[in-house]
Structures are given as structure tokens and as C-alpha cells.
Amino acid sequence: QRNLGIVDAMLHGVVTHTSIMANGAAATSAVALARQHGLSHRINLHLNLTEGRPLLGEQVPSLLDDSGQRLRGKVGFRKACNDGMILPAAAAAV
């Protein structure tokens, strides 16, 4: 529903550009809608290092929570950075 609203706003000039979180539940649908409506050139990537499921999986363990299945979340990411647990090279590799 949100994707349809964004497309409608873009088609009517209310929104000029938007971004997609590649690990978001609606990312595949968003890409399909953008292509269908000729809006792909107005879509940007929303870099997400803190929320949801990781796309790189175990390749970047310092970005993952204790379960190893999800990103740490905003607060967990900030704490891990402050505690020296996030490796700068790992975050840059994303």
C-alpha cells in the first residue's frame, strides 16, 4: 500500500525522488512498480546498516546482533560503535 502511495505521489509531482531499502520487505514490489511506471531513474538506494535482516549474512558479523540473524538496530549499532565492536572496514565493505 505504501509503495502505491509513493508511486502516485511521484506521478503527480508531489514527490520527485525516493529510496529503497534493499533489505526491506517491500523492496521487490517497489522495484517492479518503479519499472512499470517508468520511475526507475528516480529511485535511490537507502543504505541501511541498523535495521532488519542483513543481505550479506555472516559476511559482516560485527554488524549483527547476538543471534547472528538480524542487524543490531539503531541503539545496538550505536552502542557497538562506541564499544569498538563495529569494525570500520566491515561497515565500509557494505
Side-chain angles (χ1 to χ4, degrees):
Q1 204 61 312
R2 179 177 296 157
N3 286 345
L4 292 173
I6 292 169
V7 166
D8 188 52
M10 292 178 81
L11 293 174
H12 289 92
V14 176
V15 172
T16 59
H17 291 79
T18 190
S19 62
I20 293 177
M21 288 193 301
N23 71 332
T28 302
S29 164
V31 170
L33 281 169
R35 287 182 177 153
Q36 178 184 345
H37 294 281
L39 299 170
S40 297
H41 64 288
R42 294 167 52 190
I43 307 295
N44 300 298
L45 176 64
H46 182 123
L47 181 61
N48 177 15
L49 297 175
T50 61
E51 301 295 329
R53 63 179 174 77
L55 295 177
L56 295 177
E58 66 281 347
Q59 293 179 33
V60 191
S62 69
L63 297 179
L64 304 179
D65 67 9
D66 291 336
S67 75
Q69 301 298 309
R70 301 191 62 77
L71 295 169
R72 295 176 181 273
K74 290 180 183 82
V75 173
F77 184 81
R78 187 177 305 116
K79 182 177 180 340
C81 284
N82 289 336
D83 294 346
M85 296 171 60
I86 302 291
L87 306 175
V94 176

